[in-house]
Amino acid sequence: MSTTDIDYSARAKDVLGFSRWWQVAAAVVMMGLVSPYQYVWSSLRSPIANRLAIDPAALGAVFTLFVIFQAGSQFPVGWWRDRHGPRALTLIAGILAGGGYLALSRATSVWQLYLFYSLGAIGVGIVYTVAVNTALKWFPDRRGLTTGLGTMAFAAGSALVVPYVRANATASSYPGVLWNMGLLIGIGILVGAVVLRDPPKGWLEATADGGDEATEMVSGPQYTWREMAETWQFWVMYVMFVCASGAGLMLTAKVVSFAEHFGLAAMIATVSAIVLPLSGGAGRLIIGDASDRIDRERAMAVSFFLCGVGLFAVVWFANVNSDIGFVLAVIVATFFWSPQYTLFPSVVGDYYGREHSSANYALLYSGKMWGGVFGGAVTGFLVTAMGWTVAFLIGGVLAIVAALGALLLRPPTHD
């Protein structure tokens, strides 16, 4: 039996009692709600520092800690979810992510800021792992599209609130912004928890007639995270993930400061902060959907290479003081970087199966921690030591390295 002969949609509806697309819809909404934690920080940093009467440099590690807690929480979350389902975890995520912003709005010291943002980051990590793997578990036939929808929402969702945040990015106004967003995040995730569920064990295999051989053809080998870590493909992807995320998170965290350093118009910094998540969301959906029909490894190579070219262009247009060129370069770099969060989970599902997909992808996603260290603390050091131009050129080189790594990939053999 070919996998193309299976009506996955009908099989899922028999189990759920309704369309499996509602699972993706819930995941998309939750991803969009938590996206400001990653994509709005660059707009909040200065007003928070002003309110606390501190140098903005004292907040330099907040974004790095966010990435570490968001990415680092996902492996234990994924392990638990594969065994017990998403509902209890999602309820916890609503409390942490929503409560994180609510507490931040009342923070009066630096240590509170670090604590509450890190707790919120764990909630974001839970939502991310639950949402991406909901797509992998219910949509073995449309991995690229459905993971693209969820990760698109994580990127593009924040664009809806960037104008609101930027318009109120003052020491006196931002606490109200955080309070309102915290309420929205918490309530939205709690509603999503009611909808989400995992397929019962064996639901996919039950579509195969003909015993173990047919089941193997339909579902493929189901690697545990330990078995996955024994394949060389995983470690190539891990290095790729660190390089690609380092390049993209550098741009995400520093785009406003980069534009301001080169004296670009204040409006250009705002526009760049808005188009960055929009472009990232479009890239995740478009390239993710395309990867269902073309070679995913080739899609990775082309996408990451063009991300590197885009980062080189960001540097060039900033140095020649071209406002339009700078914005276009940000769009290109982000459009082709952001699909890493669609392509990697899809490849993990293709290579290692869906049964342990939450833990497997979470282990790979932990590479984002090191990418976040580069995008935050290391980039800050490079800027101080070598200047903005060199720091961003290094980011472009990392993206090219990720592209070269994709050329080495091929499915693992399962003995």
Side-chain angles (χ1 to χ4, degrees):
M1 178 184 294
S2 167
T3 57
T4 58
D5 296 331
I6 302 170
D7 189 344
Y8 294 99
S9 180
R11 176 61 184 168
K13 190 172 184 178
D14 287 342
V15 173
L16 288 168
F18 51 86
S19 172
R20 60 180 175 164
W21 286 98
W22 285 107
Q23 299 293 299
V24 172
V28 165
V29 170
M30 293 192 305
M31 289 280 263
L33 288 173
V34 299
S35 64
Y37 269 94
Q38 177 162 313
Y39 289 95
V40 175
W41 170 248
S42 62
S43 297
L44 288 171
R45 183 176 175 219
S46 292
I48 289 176
N50 290 338
R51 184 177 181 86
L52 298 181
I54 59 175
D55 189 322
L59 304 179
V62 170
F63 188 79
T64 297
L65 282 178
F66 161 77
V67 174
I68 289 172
F69 280 99
Q70 187 251 345
S73 63
Q74 291 198 37
F75 180 70
V77 167
W79 182 90
W80 176 272
R81 185 259 175 87
D82 283 335
R83 288 157 179 77
H84 305 288
R87 186 158 296 177
L89 287 169
T90 308
L91 291 171
I92 294 171
I95 295 170
L96 289 174
Y101 264 4
L102 293 176
L104 280 169
S105 71
R106 301 293 187 261
T108 57
S109 62
V110 174
W111 73 266
Q112 292 175 342
L113 181 68
Y114 275 84
L115 174 63
F116 298 145
Y117 215 88
S118 296
L119 289 173
I122 296 173
V124 175
I126 295 173
V127 168
Y128 198 101
T129 250
V130 166
V132 167
N133 287 286
T134 291
L136 292 179
K137 289 179 183 295
W138 285 109
F139 289 83
D141 52 332
R142 302 299 298 275
R143 287 187 176 117
L145 173 63
T146 51
T147 56
L149 284 167
T151 57
M152 175 198 70
F154 187 71
S158 60
L160 298 176
V161 300
V162 166
Y164 171 55
V165 174
R166 294 285 291 176
N168 294 278
T170 64
S172 59
S173 298
Y174 86 83
V177 171
L178 290 174
W179 183 265
N180 293 336
M181 290 199 298
L183 288 175
L184 181 62
I185 290 169
I187 293 171
I189 294 174
L190 294 178
V191 171
V194 176
V195 178
L196 290 180
R197 66 194 70 176
D198 279 349
K201 186 174 179 61
W203 83 277
L204 180 58
E205 289 79 356
T207 61
D209 297 321
D212 292 340
E213 290 186 5
T215 296
E216 177 80 359
M217 184 183 298
V218 171
S219 59
Q222 304 297 307
Y223 288 74
T224 66
W225 68 268
R226 290 184 178 88
E227 293 171 333
M228 179 184 70
E230 293 174 355
T231 67
W232 63 264
Q233 288 89 341
F234 168 76
W235 294 105
V236 170
M237 286 195 289
Y238 197 87
V239 172
M240 291 169 57
F241 203 101
V242 172
C243 290
S245 59
L249 292 172
M250 174 194 67
L251 182 64
T252 300
K254 307 295 186 183
V255 64
V256 172
S257 299
F258 187 83
E260 291 172 348
H261 172 79
F262 282 94
L264 300 178
M267 178 59 69
I268 295 303
T270 298
V271 170
S272 296
I274 294 172
V275 301
L276 190 147
L278 287 175
S279 177
R284 295 178 193 205
L285 180 61
I286 293 170
I287 295 179
D289 184 35
S291 76
D292 285 330
R293 290 178 285 275
I294 64 174
D295 182 85
R296 286 198 220 276
E297 295 85 351
R298 184 176 303 174
M300 279 183 167
V302 172
S303 186
F304 298 152
F305 177 80
L306 293 176
C307 169
V309 172
L311 283 169
F312 296 150
V314 167
V315 173
W316 170 262
F317 286 115
N319 277 278
V320 300
N321 204 35
S322 171
D323 290 345
I324 295 177
F326 180 82
V327 172
L328 291 176
V330 168
I331 291 172
V332 169
T334 310
F335 182 91
F336 289 108
W337 157 63
S338 212
Q340 87 165 95
Y341 299 111
T342 298
L343 296 173
F344 277 113
S346 298
V347 171
V348 167
D350 293 342
Y351 282 10
Y352 303 110
R354 59 162 190 86
E355 184 174 344
H356 307 288
S357 62
S358 298
N360 288 347
Y361 179 56
L363 186 60
L364 178 63
Y365 192 87
S366 68
K368 185 180 178 182
M369 291 189 292
W370 311 113
V373 170
F374 177 84
V378 173
T379 298
F381 170 78
L382 291 173
V383 168
T384 301
M386 303 179 185
W388 283 100
T389 294
V390 173
F392 268 59
L393 289 176
I394 291 174
V397 170
L398 289 178
I400 301 296
V401 170
L404 294 175
L407 300 177
L408 301 175
L409 291 178
R410 63 185 64 89
T413 56
H414 186 75
D415 297 328

